[in-house]
Each structure stands twice: as C-alpha cells, then as structure tokens.
Amino acid sequence: MLSRVADSLYWMSRYLERAEHTTRLLDVNLNLMLDEPTNVADRRWQRVLQALGAPRDVQFEGDAIALARRLTFDASNSSSVLGCIIGARENARHVREQISTEMWQRLNSLYLQVTRPEMQSDTHADSTLQQNEGPTEFLGQVMEGVHQFQGVTDSTMSHGEGWQFIQVGRFMERASATAMLLEAYQPELWANTDALPDSNEYLEWMGLLRSATAFEAYCKVYTADLSPDWILEFLLLDADFPHSLRFSIDAMQQALEVVQGLSGGARGDKLTRISGRLRSTLSYSSVEEIMSGGVVTYLHDIQRQCREIHNAIYELYVDYSIQAALAG
C-alpha cells in the first residue's frame, strides 16, 4: 500500500474517533452542569479541557456554552468537532478510490450537516447548544453519524490492509483519549481514596463512566455500586469492553499484526516489540499494582508507549526511505 494512502486512512479514522469522543464529553458535561455550584462547574470544564489534551488557545472563562461552542464549531481549531470532521473528510477525499461509496456518502453527509452556513453563526451555535432538548439533539446526531460511518466501514469495505489501517487509527486514538480522560479525573477518584464520597462525587464518577460510554457496561459487571477502584479496573483492564484501554490496545495490535504480515517484512520487528510490550503491560497488570505505583505515572507511561507506536508506524509505513523499503 502507498504510504500516502496508509497515512490518509489512519488519520481519517483518528479524526472521526476524536470527533466522537469530544462530542460525547460535551454532551455528558453540559447535561451534568444543571443546578450545580459554580466552583464545581469551573472544575468540570477545566477537566474537560485536560481530557481533550488542553487544546491550544482554548480556555474556560466561566461560560460553559461559549467553551462548548469553540470545541464544537470553531473551524480554526483542528481539534474541534467541526475541525475533526473536516480533517476526516479531506483525508477520505485523498483516498476516495480506496474506500466504499457508502463510506464516502456517510462521511460527506456528516460533513454537510456540520458545515451548514447557519452553523458559522455564533448566535445559531449558541441556540443549538441551549435549546430545550439540550445539546443532546445536535451532539447526538454527530455521534450517530460517526457510529454509522464506522458500521458502514465494517460492512462495506474489504477487510484488507486499508481496513486494518483504519482500525489502527481508531484504536490508537481511543487508547490515548481514554488515558487522558482517566488522568483528568485522577484528583477526584484516586488522589484521596480514604475520604468518604459525597453525592457530588458519585455524580462525577457516573460522569466519567458515561464519558466513556461505560455506565451500563460497568453496572452489568460490578452492579450499580460505584467504586473508584472498580471504575479504574474496568476502564483500564477489562478485556471485553470496547472503550477500555486494554481492549483498544489489543485491537490495535491485532490490526498491526495483520498489516505486518501483508507488508511489514523484517522491518516490522521494532513495531511488534513496542506494541507487544504495551499489550503485555495491560494484560498482566492488576489495579492494586497500578494504584500502589501511582495512577498518573502508569497513565503517562501508557501515553508514552502510544506515542512510540505512532512514531514506529510512521517510520515503517509512511516516512520510510526507499533504501529501507528495498532492504525489507
């Protein structure tokens, strides 16, 4: 596969996963902020920004709707929902011949939905986020559009090398996003485990699970008894839940193994070693060991290894030299 094709498929998938994650965080937190004290709201939106990787030039200044508008509709911010969908469509356009017609139609429909002329109006954007149905109607449409694209991709695109790169991008982004989300919640959940939780803390724990679409799945495993230790164990180490770190890393490595079998050759040994080490870290860790060693330290190490895998992917499949390709 040409390096430009692999790069575009990888980033198309990452951008859409990022758009869905940002939309979900906004949806959950806009709904949770109703009737809460100002100091709680301030901490909530600072945490949202931290969970999104502290986007450049975006800060919370006391107005949740204004912040949500920037994170949703600001085309100049490549990390906004709109910026991510524009980026995904542009990458899809570069590889139009590699994806199915149904994929292009679904992504183009989502793009046209969020780039309607009225969406460029701050007044309309504010109205959309403040309407009686809450943000759920518009933000839900965006999440549904991304989910439909992922479903169409799985059902209409041949599961060959290109599809595998899409999986790598999706689960790389998901793993990084989950790690940053857990780190943002660390002060509330795991910094002071001996303190008795109050009602607001239970609300925050529920918000974390819903931000990872995990509340119902968590309750089926642990019942509705919310415990910081169990939440951490579920979102980090559960092998069956699609938004857990372990599931994401497992799925990413499986896709990388297929890609390497098709085109990696001997040059893929470094990538196999790095991704296999990360997978083992999650497969053989316990929540007790993680908490004793420091949750933030563990999450930082996960993010560091994800960056190493990203760099190795680029070195092997995107930015490789002709000499390296011939040698492999």
Side-chain angles (χ1 to χ4, degrees), residues 127-143:
S127 175
T128 299
L129 294 170
Q130 290 175 316
Q131 57 189 288
N132 290 334
E133 296 84 355
T136 302
E137 184 175 3
F138 174 77
L139 297 176
Q141 288 172 358
V142 174
M143 285 188 281

Side-chain angles (χ1 to χ4, degrees), residues 110-294:
L110 179 60
Y111 167 81
L112 293 174
Q113 176 184 349
V114 300
T115 57
R116 298 194 306 268
E118 61 267 26
M119 289 298 180
Q120 307 310 310
S121 164
D122 287 351
T123 301
H124 184 275
D126 286 350
S127 175
T128 299
L129 294 170
Q130 290 175 316
Q131 57 189 288
N132 290 334
E133 296 84 355
T136 302
E137 184 175 3
F138 174 77
L139 297 176
Q141 288 172 358
V142 174
M143 285 188 281
E144 182 179 352
V146 175
H147 293 160
Q148 288 176 350
F149 177 84
Q150 292 172 343
V152 166
T153 298
D154 292 345
S155 61
T156 65
M157 185 178 182
S158 175
H159 288 202
E161 192 174 2
W163 184 84
Q164 300 294 346
F165 268 107
I166 290 174
Q167 303 314 300
V168 172
R170 176 191 301 178
F171 288 106
M172 171 69 81
E173 184 66 32
R174 187 173 295 180
S176 300
T178 301
M180 288 192 292
L181 178 65
L182 289 171
E183 182 181 351
Y185 272 85
Q186 189 272 342
E188 283 80 9
L189 270 77
W190 306 290
N192 186 13
T193 55
D194 295 330
L196 294 175
D198 57 28
S199 57
N200 283 333
E201 286 182 299
Y202 277 114
L203 192 64
E204 298 302 325
W205 299 350
M206 188 180 300
L208 168 59
L209 289 168
R210 287 181 171 165
S211 294
T213 66
F215 182 69
E216 291 184 8
Y218 171 92
C219 290
K220 290 175 181 177
V221 176
Y222 297 100
T223 74
D225 184 12
L226 300 185
S227 161
D229 293 7
W230 289 350
I231 291 172
L232 181 65
E233 183 176 54
F234 187 69
L235 293 180
L236 269 182
L237 304 177
D238 191 90
D240 301 319
F241 180 62
H243 280 267
S244 77
L245 259 168
R246 179 177 175 183
F247 185 100
S248 299
I249 296 302
D250 286 351
M252 180 178 65
Q253 194 193 31
Q254 290 168 10
L256 286 172
E257 288 174 350
V258 175
V259 171
Q260 183 183 356
L262 294 171
S263 61
R267 296 184 301 122
D269 290 346
K270 176 183 176 182
L271 179 56
T272 300
R273 185 174 64 255
I274 297 172
S275 61
R277 183 169 61 236
L278 176 55
R279 187 177 189 179
S280 296
T281 298
L282 289 161
S283 297
Y284 298 104
S285 294
S286 70
V287 69
E288 293 80 12
E289 293 171 344
I290 293 169
M291 294 189 69
S292 65

Side-chain angles (χ1 to χ4, degrees), residues 98-117:
Q98 299 289 331
I99 63 177
S100 68
T101 298
E102 292 84 357
M103 290 169 64
W104 174 252
Q105 289 174 340
R106 181 59 258 172
L107 181 52
N108 207 42
S109 176
L110 179 60
Y111 167 81
L112 293 174
Q113 176 184 349
V114 300
T115 57
R116 298 194 306 268

Side-chain angles (χ1 to χ4, degrees), residues 1-75:
M1 175 175 289
L2 293 175
S3 60
R4 67 170 182 82
V5 173
D7 188 41
S8 291
L9 291 172
Y10 175 79
W11 278 108
M12 175 192 73
S13 185
R14 287 200 68 163
Y15 275 131
L16 283 174
E17 182 68 25
R18 190 176 301 175
E20 194 266 350
H21 177 69
T22 302
T23 303
R24 189 170 357 96
L25 278 183
L26 292 174
D27 185 30
V28 168
N29 285 281
L30 282 169
N31 281 290
L32 285 177
M33 77 176 189
L34 301 175
D35 300 322
E36 67 182 0
T38 302
N39 62 322
V40 176
D42 289 347
R43 171 57 190 150
R44 178 183 304 285
W45 291 103
Q46 294 292 349
R47 186 173 57 219
V48 167
L49 290 174
Q50 183 182 352
L52 294 175
R56 184 179 302 176
D57 300 327
V58 180
Q59 295 184 7
F60 178 63
E61 298 176 346
D63 188 340
I65 297 299
L67 178 62
R69 182 179 68 238
R70 285 209 65 186
L71 291 173
T72 304
F73 298 107
D74 186 1

